[in-house]
Amino acid sequence: MKIRENYKYALVVPTSMGVRICPPDGQPVYSSELFRMQVTSAETNVASISSYLGLPVHVLTTFVKDSPIAKMIKNNLRQRGMTYEGAEVEQGGPWGYRHQFNIADSGYGARGPRVQNDRAGEVGRTLNVKDFDLDRLFGEEGVAVLHLSGLIGALSPETSKFCLELARAAKKHGTLISFDLNYRASFWKGREQELHDIFTEIASVSDILVGNEEDFQLCLGLEGPEAGGKDLASKIDSFKAMIRTAKAQYPNVSVFATTLRQVINVNRHLWGAIMLNGDEWHVAEPREITVLDRIGGGDGFVGGLIYAIIKGWDAEKQLQFGWASGALATTFLTDYAQPADEDQIFSIWGGNARVKR
């Protein structure tokens, strides 16, 4: 893979922004009276690694016009060092558009997290290619990496077309494409063939493809081993088998990757990762990490991997940085990691949690 030399934005992400509300101290939603509200989206979780480490990041989204939640989102993106653009959509009254709500607790010990997604009237479902100048973005301004998520790709017919047109424009102008398949059964219901065709085309022009066994089979229709396994060793073997099949069908993809997670309890996980770069396998063997909040760990991994690719590091270092970025994300109450610097992330990989003065 070769990063284009001249670009305004290191990373561009299309996304549907929303908020997450959760009780403090890992308490269940149903027994709580106090809640904390934060801005969130999977795609900006990914982009935060690059923005906090100083790379220019640009967000493509849409907002509810004059909404205080939209203002909160814009303020948050600016705080994270991200620029943004997007249409301002009229709310249309109390039963009109709004930004999505994610209602969740983090769990604690033996009690697992519970998450409810409330996406009725989600303004992000209106994301439309007509609201953006793709020739300006990818041609005149320039983008090093476009990161697409299957969550946005399947959100609505408009967002599906939007992601497809983004991929086509990025490919035309020499931008690398990262695609996290992120299969969601509820998004695909009744649209299976349509989305299979769209996801297949995006995967065919992608440079980086992320997903587990289920993602590859259900999004792309590949045959492969049964998803999951009783231990992480079996998951490594099944992922390798799946990727050999995927690589034969998608020869233009340079990097295939996934995370590996085994939950001991809510606050203790075994965390690993695996990547095929070209013809070489790289594995971050699973090891124990302490988890404050698991949400965003996978996004942190992808964000760290993309950052390392943009920086031009060797493949082994890319995987290590991705693994450590994901581990870092699980130490934050925000869904996204906020790295202080590269050294902080490398210290996590090296197992160095000593105080730095």
Side-chain angles (χ1 to χ4, degrees):
M1 292 185 297
K2 184 180 179 181
I3 300 290
R4 59 179 292 174
E5 293 182 0
N6 299 312
Y7 57 82
K8 180 177 181 179
Y9 303 115
L11 181 60
V12 164
V13 294
T15 190
S16 173
M17 300 298 302
V19 292
R20 177 186 177 194
I21 59 174
C22 48
D25 305 319
Q27 292 302 293
V29 170
Y30 60 82
S31 65
S32 299
E33 297 178 346
L34 296 176
F35 291 84
R36 178 177 179 271
M37 186 165 74
Q38 61 169 277
V39 172
T40 188
S41 83
E43 299 74 34
T44 55
N45 292 349
V46 170
S48 285
I49 300 296
S50 287
S51 68
Y52 275 99
L53 294 178
L55 295 183
V57 169
H58 194 57
V59 176
L60 309 179
T61 190
T62 188
F63 301 100
V64 177
K65 187 177 180 181
D66 298 325
S67 162
I69 301 298
K71 186 172 183 178
M72 177 185 179
I73 289 169
K74 293 174 183 179
N75 289 341
N76 173 267
L77 293 176
R78 285 192 289 265
Q79 288 169 1
R80 287 197 258 172
M82 300 179 185
T83 57
Y84 57 82
E85 61 179 293
E88 301 277 346
V89 179
E90 295 284 352
Q91 181 183 357
W95 293 274
Y97 288 114
R98 62 184 171 99
H99 291 276
Q100 60 159 305
F101 276 76
N102 179 280
I103 306 167
D105 71 73
S106 302
Y108 190 82
R111 175 174 51 80
R114 292 197 172 185
V115 178
Q116 178 185 357
N117 289 304
D118 186 352
R119 311 188 77 138
E122 182 175 350
V123 70
R125 299 184 79 245
T126 70
L127 270 170
N128 197 302
V129 68
K130 68 179 176 60
D131 295 323
F132 301 90
D133 185 343
L134 301 190
D135 286 331
R136 167 187 58 79
L137 179 64
F138 292 103
E140 298 171 22
E141 295 175 335
V143 178
V145 177
L146 168 70
H147 176 68
L148 299 172
S149 165
L151 299 175
I152 304 303
L155 193 58
S156 71
E158 289 81 9
T159 65
S160 301
K161 181 180 178 182
F162 180 46
C163 288
L164 185 57
E165 292 300 327
L166 282 173
R168 289 170 175 170
K171 191 69 175 179
K172 173 184 174 182
H173 291 287
T175 294
L176 296 184
I177 301 170
S178 166
F179 188 23
D180 189 346
L181 294 169
N182 266 330
Y183 175 81
R184 293 293 185 275
S186 58
F187 288 15
W188 280 62
K189 188 175 182 180
R191 300 180 64 205
E192 288 83 359
Q193 188 59 52
E194 172 198 358
L195 289 176
H196 167 77
D197 294 344
I198 290 172
F199 276 51
T200 296
E201 181 174 343
I202 294 175
S204 71
V205 298
S206 294
D207 301 278
I208 305 159
L209 201 54
V210 181
N212 58 30
E213 299 98 329
E214 183 181 54
D215 291 333
F216 280 98
Q217 293 181 69
L218 296 178
C219 291
L220 304 179
L222 299 176
E223 293 184 2
E226 185 176 343
K230 293 184 178 180
D231 55 55
L232 293 184
S234 68
K235 289 185 178 181
I236 291 174
D237 291 339
S238 65
F239 182 76
K240 284 185 174 181
M242 171 59 66
I243 293 311
R244 292 187 186 99
T245 303
K247 186 174 176 60
Q249 186 160 331
Y250 299 96
N252 290 328
V253 176
S254 298
V255 172
F256 296 87
T258 194
T259 55
L260 305 164
R261 188 199 303 260
Q262 181 177 331
V263 177
I264 301 170
N265 62 43
V266 168
N267 310 107
R268 293 175 60 213
H269 294 182
L270 295 179
W271 179 248
I274 186 169
M275 175 178 72
L276 178 64
N277 189 310
D279 295 317
E280 295 186 358
W281 290 103
H282 300 273
V283 178
E285 293 292 342
R287 49 182 153 132
E288 187 172 321
I289 61 171
T290 302
V291 176
L292 180 63
D293 186 328
R294 67 171 285 163
I295 302 298
D299 297 328
F301 166 78
V302 178
L305 180 66
I306 291 172
Y307 176 84
I309 288 172
I310 294 173
K311 297 289 283 187
W313 297 341
D314 64 62
E316 184 176 14
K317 193 174 180 181
Q318 291 170 8
L319 184 66
Q320 293 171 355
F321 199 80
W323 179 95
S325 295
L328 174 67
T330 68
T331 70
F332 281 85
L333 289 175
T334 51
D335 293 352
Y336 50 88
Q338 303 175 50
D341 47 39
E342 291 177 0
D343 182 65
Q344 184 182 58
I345 296 177
F346 282 123
S347 293
I348 291 174
W349 171 256
N352 178 15
R354 295 173 61 86
V355 63
K356 183 172 182 179
R357 302 183 190 278

